[in-house]
Amino acid sequence: MTPNKQTYREATSKYDPVLGIECHVELNTNSKAFDNAPVQFGGQPNSAVTPTSAGLPGSLPTLNKKLVESGIRLGLALNCKIEQDSFFARKNYFYPDLPKAYQISQSNKPIAYDGYLDVELGDGEVFRVEIERAHLEEDAGKNTHVGGADGRIHGATYSLVDYNRSSVPLIEIVSKPLTGAGDRVAEVAAAYVQTLRDIAIALDISDARMERGNLRADVNVSLRPSPDAPFGTRTETKNVNSFRAIERAVEYEVARQADVLDSGELVFQETRHFHEEDGTTSSGRPKSDADDYRYFPDPDLPPVRPQIEWIEELRATLPEMPAAKRKRLRGEWKFTDLEMRDVVNAGALDLIDATVTAGATPAAARKWWMGELSRVANNEGVALAELAVTPLQVAELQGLIDSGALTDSLARQALDGVLAGEGDPAAVAESRGLVVVSDDGALTEAIQTVLAENPDVVEKIRGGKVQAVGALVGGVMKLTKGKADAARVRELIMEMLEQ
């Protein structure tokens, strides 16, 4: 792959980038879109398959109501109109992981259309991304190519097919072309997908984990010489699976297409692959237009005609949307913009919210989730939500500190026990013998030891530098392995030095 000759910034200064994104959201329904095989991740290959999801002759599809419900709820959350008379079609193409040789999808009349999503960037600037449609469809199976250099079919010696994913329900959200973003188009692309993910999670229709393929983005990019010129030829970078990768793919494609246009050549309409290791894209296959798929209505499935009363019932049950929730909580918690952005990026917003609901202050909840627990999560390579501690337990831990039953140091030891599955914080503190030492006799002995080891600090305090007492308190805490009552230690030290 040849490196781009110009940078992304240089390219956006000469050309107007146009962005389009197609997002596939895999739903967390119990069963598949058109049969009763279970939806599961990571199962034994071909263990969650029925004749229908395997595409065997004679099998007939049956529509999963939950698929329609999820489509309507997501459409409403994206400010879309809901189609009163949509239908499923057969999208004809052949792949080894699609044995029917067609995919059941929606074509002319998707379940939701003409919506929008306001996307906020890190500095607060908002871009409105218009939504063309959100349609229902089934996923294909999964091919694993063995023997090639990069896991793709080129150069592979053989391929394996797993039909567990075949007919897993999907919603595909197709944006309208986004213009006017200029050199922020890459940021907008990543922020748009992140906002979509947050909404899918808030609606509880998808796990939306990009590393598992629950959420996949196809990124369309084209360039034109000026904002009033016709759109250029677009490329579609397929299945980009992280927010950072989306941003890098857009940056690379903008610079690459600018190089092509500058050289007097044409950009080809094609799919492209993104390469995580160096942030480049490479050619995939010529991109087909919709007409090439020869859509026609699926004769085995009836039209979808949701009653208006049902749609309004679903609208009434929509949760608070993530952007509105963040704005509300930022005001209630008095977090700075930077603190709030860090909390959101760490995936800690809902955990902190639940911890506050359980009784902790926002500052204390943030301290635990963004401090000690983030450190543990990073060390274990897992998300915060995957740690074996609940917001209720974190609130209890903080309550033990507030009541004086535990020091910060002892609370961290109790947290270790909670994470190890030893029980709730109070039970762990009792079983591990984590008790605050506030007895003056025991503390005095430790204090005298620390005073004797730090005569220079003692001299400073007697000379008027009272703030130096912190070093002595720290010494006592270390000597008592964090069990001393720090406030009482400070009082005793000052009394002893005043004598």
Side-chain angles (χ1 to χ4, degrees):
M1 284 167 278
T2 306
N4 292 329
K5 296 177 183 175
Q6 58 193 302
T7 67
Y8 167 71
R9 298 291 177 193
E10 291 168 341
T12 54
S13 70
K14 293 189 291 185
Y15 294 96
D16 183 41
V18 179
L19 173 73
I21 295 186
E22 301 167 18
C23 275
H24 290 84
V25 178
E26 194 175 277
L27 304 182
N28 56 7
T29 55
N30 291 327
S31 57
K32 293 186 176 179
F34 303 110
D35 65 90
N36 60 4
V39 172
Q40 62 185 30
F41 177 82
Q44 187 73 15
N46 295 310
S47 62
V49 183
T50 67
T52 301
S53 52
L56 298 185
S59 60
L60 292 173
T62 302
L63 178 59
N64 186 338
K65 181 182 178 183
K66 196 72 176 178
L67 168 60
V68 180
E69 178 182 314
S70 298
I72 294 173
R73 294 181 75 224
L74 182 58
L76 293 172
L78 297 178
N79 306 292
C80 289
K81 299 172 184 173
I82 304 301
E83 177 58 56
Q84 300 293 299
D85 189 17
S86 66
F87 61 86
F88 287 98
R90 294 184 176 184
K91 181 181 181 182
N92 294 277
Y93 62 97
F94 175 77
Y95 280 104
D97 56 358
L98 196 67
K100 297 194 297 284
Y102 64 85
Q103 178 189 28
I104 300 176
S105 183
Q106 292 188 312
S107 56
N108 296 337
K109 287 191 174 182
I111 191 71
Y113 61 100
D114 280 353
Y116 66 87
L117 185 58
D118 288 332
V119 176
E120 183 176 348
L121 304 188
D123 63 356
E125 187 173 2
V126 175
F127 284 84
R128 172 160 292 187
V129 179
E130 294 188 71
I131 308 293
E132 179 180 304
R133 55 189 285 149
H135 63 257
L136 312 176
E137 62 184 21
E138 62 178 346
D139 209 345
K142 179 182 178 182
N143 295 321
T144 301
H145 306 296
V146 181
D150 57 1
R152 303 189 188 282
I153 194 169
H154 305 291
T157 53
Y158 64 92
S159 297
L160 302 171
V161 185
D162 180 3
Y163 291 117
N164 280 356
R165 202 178 66 181
S166 179
S167 202
V168 165
L170 292 177
I171 300 175
E172 180 175 346
I173 303 110
V174 181
S175 76
K176 294 181 180 178
L178 175 79
T179 60
D183 63 1
R184 307 204 73 177
V185 67
E187 289 177 75
V188 174
Y192 167 69
V193 178
Q194 188 163 5
T195 307
L196 268 183
R197 182 204 62 170
D198 293 346
I199 290 175
I201 291 173
L203 292 172
D204 193 25
I205 61 172
S206 173
D207 296 335
R209 296 181 61 169
M210 298 189 79
E211 75 278 13
R212 290 186 176 182
N214 299 142
L215 176 62
R216 310 191 293 268
D218 299 340
V219 181
N220 290 264
V221 173
S222 67
L223 299 183
R224 55 183 176 175
S226 65
D228 56 355
F231 291 161
T233 301
R234 64 186 167 86
T235 61
E236 179 179 344
T237 305
K238 302 286 288 185
N239 295 326
V240 190
N241 64 356
S242 76
F243 306 126
R244 179 61 184 138
I246 290 169
E247 194 166 347
R248 294 171 74 201
V250 172
E251 290 176 348
Y252 182 83
E253 265 305 284
V254 167
R256 187 192 69 84
Q257 291 186 22
D259 284 347
V260 172
L261 296 174
D262 282 356
S263 66
E265 299 180 0
L266 298 176
V267 173
F268 293 105
Q269 183 170 313
E270 61 181 357
T271 66
R272 297 185 68 83
H273 303 300
F274 177 71
H275 303 281
E276 184 70 48
E277 62 278 10
D278 59 4
T280 64
T281 69
S282 62
S283 181
R285 59 179 171 80
K287 174 62 179 175
S288 301
D289 289 319
D291 291 344
D292 297 328
Y293 291 114
R294 305 184 319 281
Y295 284 98
F296 66 90
D298 192 309
D300 293 330
L301 287 163
V304 180
R305 291 170 177 150
Q307 294 182 337
I308 294 198
E309 292 80 4
W310 185 40
I311 295 171
E312 293 309 312
E313 284 178 16
L314 295 176
R315 188 193 304 277
T317 63
L318 291 179
E320 183 181 29
M321 288 297 104
K325 183 176 182 178
R326 284 197 294 271
K327 184 177 181 181
R328 174 177 61 80
L329 291 178
R330 184 165 50 198
E332 292 178 3
W333 294 349
K334 311 298 183 189
F335 286 1
T336 66
D337 289 345
L338 179 59
E339 289 172 339
M340 199 65 180
R341 187 161 61 244
D342 288 345
V343 164
V344 171
N345 291 338
L349 183 72
D350 289 336
L351 295 167
I352 292 176
D353 189 26
T355 306
V356 171
T357 301
T361 64
R366 176 178 170 275
K367 175 196 71 176
W368 281 109
W369 288 107
M370 297 301 292
E372 186 69 11
L373 288 167
S374 284
R375 183 189 64 77
V376 173
N378 287 335
N379 288 343
E380 296 183 5
V382 300
L384 277 174
E386 294 178 274
L387 292 176
V389 61
T390 66
L392 184 62
Q393 290 172 322
V394 174
E396 181 186 341
L397 201 61
Q398 183 60 38
L400 292 172
I401 296 175
D402 295 340
S403 69
L406 292 179
T407 63
D408 283 344
S409 175
L410 293 177
R412 285 194 290 274
Q413 295 178 50
L415 176 62
D416 290 340
V418 174
L419 292 168
E422 297 173 16
D424 291 331
V428 171
E430 182 176 356
S431 65
R432 290 194 172 197
L434 304 176
V435 180
V436 173
V437 177
S438 55
D439 175 70
D440 285 359
L443 293 178
T444 298
E445 184 177 347
I447 290 170
Q448 288 174 336
T449 300
V450 173
L451 293 180
E453 292 175 347
N454 297 275
D456 53 332
V457 179
V458 170
E459 195 62 33
K460 287 181 181 177
I461 296 171
R462 284 179 167 152
K465 295 183 178 179
V466 179
Q467 64 272 23
V469 75
L472 299 179
V473 174
V476 175
M477 298 302 292
K478 183 177 181 181
L479 191 63
T480 59
K481 298 181 179 178
K483 292 185 177 182
D485 180 338
R488 184 56 185 155
V489 168
R490 175 182 291 272
E491 291 174 358
L492 290 173
I493 290 174
M494 294 309 296
E495 289 173 6
M496 293 168 72
L497 294 183
E498 288 172 356
Q499 292 176 357

